Amino acid sequence: FWLVLRRQRDGGTRWAETAQALGLGLDAASRIELSSALDGATTARPMRGTWGGRDAAVWVSRERYSSRTTGWKRYVFHTCCSVGIRGPRGPAFSIVPRKALDGVLGGAGFPTGLASFDDRFRVAGPSPAEVLAMLSARAPDGVSLAERFVRLSARGWSLAADQDAVVARRRGVTVDVSAIRTALGVLSDLASGMER
């Protein structure tokens, strides 16, 4: 029990230090605790603030699953980063990671024609032409929005987006300031490409 409390306290301290280094505030508490997989308690309080002039948040999500062999309940933690989209363009859409059974069980979305992007993501929305134009538009450095999605996902982050925000998700509790800063920076670039 003591080890669990100490782990929570130390993890919470590191999380708070990361928030401070990023210039983000913690939601509604000055002291936070990270959950361990042993106690199933609440996870870290979200960090919130602005990044690149957009609303940003970093939080830990927890998924519970049962082991097929033992039946034990286990938890998987993910660090999630989100950057809001100001003045989104066009109609509603969604970009989500592709799953193995997409197309077999429905939900195939529409192809963009960009092979590396289509291998990793599924796009859905009422106006494919507008979404495809947005994804293929190139930034001043010559890199398209779709290519930016692929580059960040190659760094171990799972990406999703809609007309409100771009979200990156990475397995484990990440307190590495540079990793989160990089993710928020790329998300901010992606968000700028989705704005009017």
Side-chain angles (χ1 to χ4, degrees), residues 54 85 88-89 93 95 112 114 116-118 120-121 123 130-153 159-163 165-166 185-196:
R54 298 170 183 82
I85 297 173
R89 54 161 125 166
F93 67 91
I95 300 170
T112 65
L114 307 166
S116 58
F117 182 86
D118 289 338
R120 294 179 187 225
F121 300 100
V123 182
E130 287 189 44
V131 177
L132 295 179
M134 178 183 67
L135 287 171
S136 59
R138 298 199 175 270
D141 62 1
V143 179
S144 72
L145 195 61
E147 290 173 76
R148 291 180 187 278
F149 266 90
V150 172
R151 287 181 183 180
L152 185 61
S153 67
L159 287 174
D162 59 22
Q163 66 278 7
V166 191
V186 175
L187 292 180
S188 185
D189 288 346
L190 291 173
S192 70
M194 297 181 180
E195 293 168 351
R196 280 183 248 174

Side-chain angles (χ1 to χ4, degrees), residues 94-110 117-124:
S94 68
I95 300 170
V96 295
R98 188 167 288 287
K99 296 180 182 173
L101 296 177
D102 282 348
V104 176
L105 300 175
F110 51 81
F117 182 86
D118 289 338
D119 287 345
R120 294 179 187 225
F121 300 100
R122 178 169 54 87
V123 182

Side-chain angles (χ1 to χ4, degrees), residues 59-63 76-80 169-174:
W59 70 96
V60 175
S61 69
R62 183 183 61 185
E63 292 178 3
V76 176
F77 294 90
H78 293 88
T79 303
C80 305
R169 195 166 175 251
R170 185 177 193 171
R171 188 168 178 142
V173 178
T174 304

Side-chain angles (χ1 to χ4, degrees), residues 6-16 32-34 175:
R6 180 174 178 177
R7 183 177 172 186
Q8 287 183 331
R9 186 191 66 230
D10 293 347
T13 300
R14 287 194 303 273
W15 184 257
I32 60 156
E33 291 181 348
L34 286 175
V175 291

